[in-house]
């Protein structure tokens, strides 16, 4: 087989790249390790920066998002037992964000791919990029016991944190930066009406977050130690702990019910540089991970794909390699800014094992300052909204 772009990984990054390339007359083939069912059922984040909303609309993926997504002007933060701030993004930076689950985006991308009969190999095993340091790269994989080879112009590594693409970049080229946080998030989905605003909570008992998917589907998280056994958290215990972390007034508004999903995710910051080696380009989680505080993960995957697709279109339309050559630097600039912001918000809102009462009061004082300073709120709002592409 031959194609222009071989795309490894059919998550949001891989499928969006394939879609934008298709709209620009560029051929691609996607290779995905998992089954379609598995990929479609993953529960992930749910907050879209406005830049992401516009990229998805431009890629023809706006219909259901605009119908079912919820536009928000800002986000709430609570701390200190009774304090609450509404961080007004619309007022400070004239932007908004959209609450729309990544699970739905994956469905929308899958529908668009099916509608155009796009090329994808699911359950592709032993996917391996080759020859990316030459002008004629190729990818091999096994599907249903049969070996395949795809020759291509470029390879896009969109295969997430555990993918193969990053690992084939030589050790003396690849630099990795990493921080693991000493806690995770225990999250539940429940068919109950969410709080009206996304509400982040700093509490001496640990961080909490109340988020939403639809008017009758809530997503809640609490910070837990890394060694937490999920079996030790039946629904009743979860709701009790969640409410204990929020100020009373807000706790009283939380509507409880049975959970329909429950999972624990560790928190990590990770960046791999460069995001390009020869004719291999990394995009999304294959190159970077952010802790979910601030909801930047999916937005970064989308901005990587925006830069990469723009560079490939320029290469095929105008014969210029300039944007391909600057892709890694351009993408990493935005990546590091989101990595810094997610790290900062994580540090401000979570209980760290060694911080003690002193650390708690420092966090509360910083939040008090945030509440009292328009300039500080504007700076945080600007980063929460997402820096321009
Ligand atoms: N071969 C083929 N496919 C692979 C391989 C491999 N060796 N390794 C991983 N994959 C697939 C995974 O099964 C997954 O479907 O690559 C896909 C990567 O998808 P994601 O992990 O979702 O990563 P990405 O597309 O970059 O999406 C960005 O934003 O909100 C965050 O982490 C969240 O998924 C989200 C991400
Ligand atoms: C979510 O809705 O899953 C969510 C929202 C905001 C975050 C992280 C996760 O910062």
């Amino acid at each position: 087989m031959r194609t222009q772009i071989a795309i490894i990984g059919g998550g949001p990054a891989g499928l969006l790249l394939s879609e934008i390339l298709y709209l620009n007359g560029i051929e691609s083939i996607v290779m995905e390790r998992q089954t379609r069912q598995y990929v479609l059922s993953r529960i992930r984040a749910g907050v879209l920066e406005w830049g992401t909303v516009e990229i998805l609309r431009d890629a023809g993926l706006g219909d259901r998002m605009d119908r079912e997504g919820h536009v928000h002007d800002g986000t709430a933060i609570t701390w200190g037992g009774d304090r609450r701030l509404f961080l007004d993004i619309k007022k400070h930076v004239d932007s908004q964000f959209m609450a729309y689950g990544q699970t739905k985006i994956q469905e929308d991308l899958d529908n668009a791919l099916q509608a155009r009969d796009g090329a994808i190999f699911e359950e592709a095993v032993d996917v391996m990029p080759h020859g990316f340091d030459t002008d004629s790269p190729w990818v091999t994989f096994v599907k249903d016991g049969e070996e395949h080879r795809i020759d291509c112009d470029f390879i896009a590594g969109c295969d997430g944190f555990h993918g193969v693409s990053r690992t084939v970049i030589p050790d003396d080229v690849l630099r990795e930066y990493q921080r693991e946080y000493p806690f995770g998030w225990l999250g539940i989905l429940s068919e109950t009406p969410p709080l009206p605003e996304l509400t982040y909570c700093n509490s001496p008992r640990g961080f909490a977050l109340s988020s939403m998917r639809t008017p009758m589907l809530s997503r809640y998280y609490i910070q837990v130690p890394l060694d937490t056994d999920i079996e030790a958290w039946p629904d009743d215990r979860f709701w009790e702990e969640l409410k204990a972390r929020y100020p009373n007034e807000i706790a009283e508004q939380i509507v409880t019910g049975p959970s329909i999903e429950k999972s624990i995710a560790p928190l990590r910051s990770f960046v791999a540089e460069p995001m390009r080696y020869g004719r291999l380009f990394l995009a999304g989680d294959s190159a970077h991970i952010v802790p979910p505080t601030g909801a930047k993960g999916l937005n970064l995957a989308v901005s990587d794909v925006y830069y990469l697709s723009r560079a490939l279109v320029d290469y095929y339309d105008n014969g210029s390699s300039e944007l391909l050559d600057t892709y890694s630097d351009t993408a990493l600039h935005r990546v590091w800014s989101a990595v810094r912001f997610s790290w900062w918000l994580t540090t401000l809102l979570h209980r760290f094992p060694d911080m003690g009462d002193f650390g708690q009061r420092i966090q509360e004082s910083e939040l008090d300052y945030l509440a009292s300073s328009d300039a500080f709120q504007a700076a945080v709002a600007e980063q929460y909204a997402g820096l321009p592409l």
Side-chain angles (χ1 to χ4, degrees):
M1 282 173 283
R2 175 159 179 95
T3 190
Q4 289 171 297
I5 318 296
I7 301 176
I8 306 178
L15 290 195
L16 180 62
L17 179 63
S18 155
E19 194 63 30
I20 296 177
L21 293 177
Y22 167 76
L23 295 172
N24 286 280
I26 301 171
E27 266 179 40
S28 68
I29 299 178
V30 178
M31 284 142 279
E32 165 59 50
R33 178 160 64 185
Q34 303 285 354
T35 65
R36 183 162 168 247
Q37 245 43 51
Y38 178 90
V39 173
L40 284 172
S41 64
R42 287 188 294 215
I43 310 277
R44 293 270 177 85
V47 173
L48 309 183
E49 296 174 359
W50 212 255
T52 298
V53 168
E54 284 176 347
I55 291 168
L56 293 174
R57 281 182 186 157
D58 287 347
L61 297 156
D63 283 1
R64 185 163 74 137
M65 176 180 70
D66 284 318
R67 261 195 332 271
E68 297 181 18
H70 280 253
V71 176
H72 291 257
D73 290 348
T75 179
I77 306 177
T78 70
W79 69 98
D82 61 355
R83 274 159 279 171
R84 178 184 188 275
L85 165 71
F86 181 69
L87 184 72
D88 195 331
I89 291 166
K90 189 159 174 27
K91 180 179 101 183
H92 287 295
V93 291
D94 195 22
S95 188
Q96 294 171 299
F97 62 84
M98 174 95 81
Y100 186 64
Q102 185 175 319
T103 310
K104 288 189 177 179
I105 295 177
Q106 187 75 45
E107 276 170 18
D108 296 343
L109 284 162
D110 183 71
N111 287 336
L113 180 88
Q114 307 290 332
R116 67 178 155 89
D117 214 4
I120 183 165
F121 288 90
E122 275 133 357
E123 298 172 79
V125 296
D126 296 339
V127 177
M128 189 53 71
H130 306 272
F132 35 86
D133 49 355
T134 73
D135 285 344
S136 338
W138 73 97
V139 179
T140 55
F141 63 97
V142 174
K143 163 86 184 168
D144 298 331
E146 206 178 307
E147 277 187 36
H148 295 271
R149 167 178 172 144
I150 300 178
D151 289 279
C152 57
D153 297 335
F154 299 99
I155 302 170
C158 303
D159 45 355
F161 184 65
H162 300 287
V164 65
S165 301
R166 187 180 68 249
T167 68
V168 302
I169 299 179
D171 285 348
D172 58 346
V173 174
L174 193 70
R175 295 179 302 276
E176 295 183 331
Y177 303 86
Q178 157 141 261
R179 168 151 308 180
E180 282 169 359
Y181 300 87
F183 41 73
W185 281 14
L186 169 60
I188 68 161
L189 266 179
S190 114
E191 288 171 323
T192 48
L195 293 180
E197 301 297 347
L198 200 70
T199 307
Y200 294 87
C201 171
N202 171 297
S203 149
R205 302 178 72 99
F207 169 86
L209 170 62
S210 115
S211 180
M212 66 282 289
R213 290 293 177 271
T214 68
M216 260 314 279
L217 191 58
S218 309
R219 181 82 168 146
Y220 292 98
Y221 300 96
I222 55 172
Q223 172 189 348
V224 292
L226 276 176
D227 57 2
T228 298
D229 174 11
I230 202 161
E231 299 301 322
W233 284 92
D235 292 353
D236 287 352
R237 181 173 177 209
F238 181 91
W239 291 119
E240 198 181 313
E241 182 60 32
L242 180 77
K243 289 183 167 203
R245 294 184 186 193
Y246 277 100
N248 285 340
E249 222 181 296
I250 291 169
E252 283 163 10
Q253 294 172 40
I254 293 174
V255 183
T256 64
S259 68
I260 57 169
E261 194 264 350
K262 195 183 278 162
S263 54
I264 298 181
L267 270 66
R268 181 200 313 266
S269 299
F270 172 86
V271 183
E273 300 182 345
M275 287 172 62
R276 177 241 180 121
Y277 182 68
R279 286 183 172 243
L280 171 67
F281 292 82
L282 304 181
D285 278 14
S286 66
H288 41 76
I289 295 286
V290 287
T293 335
K296 293 292 177 215
L298 174 64
N299 292 294
L300 278 184
V302 170
S303 62
D304 288 352
V305 165
Y306 168 83
Y307 292 132
L308 182 55
S309 58
R310 185 182 69 165
L312 290 167
V313 170
D314 194 46
Y315 173 84
Y316 286 109
D317 285 0
N318 306 315
S320 165
S321 299
E322 196 188 322
L323 293 179
L324 287 174
D325 291 340
T326 53
Y327 166 72
S328 178
D329 286 346
T330 309
L332 281 168
H333 183 73
R334 202 166 192 284
V335 164
W336 273 112
S337 130
V339 166
R340 194 203 60 75
F341 179 66
S342 312
W343 159 81
W344 173 77
L345 200 58
T346 300
T347 306
L348 177 64
L349 296 178
H350 289 74
R351 181 85 191 180
F352 285 72
D354 59 354
M355 71 183 223
D357 294 344
F358 177 81
Q360 181 68 37
R361 296 304 282 259
I362 291 289
Q363 287 179 339
E364 289 169 5
S365 171
E366 186 163 0
L367 287 161
D368 285 345
Y369 172 48
L370 178 63
S372 72
S373 163
D374 254 18
F376 195 2
Q377 285 175 42
V380 177
E382 183 172 48
Q383 297 171 81
Y384 195 89
L387 297 177
L389 286 157

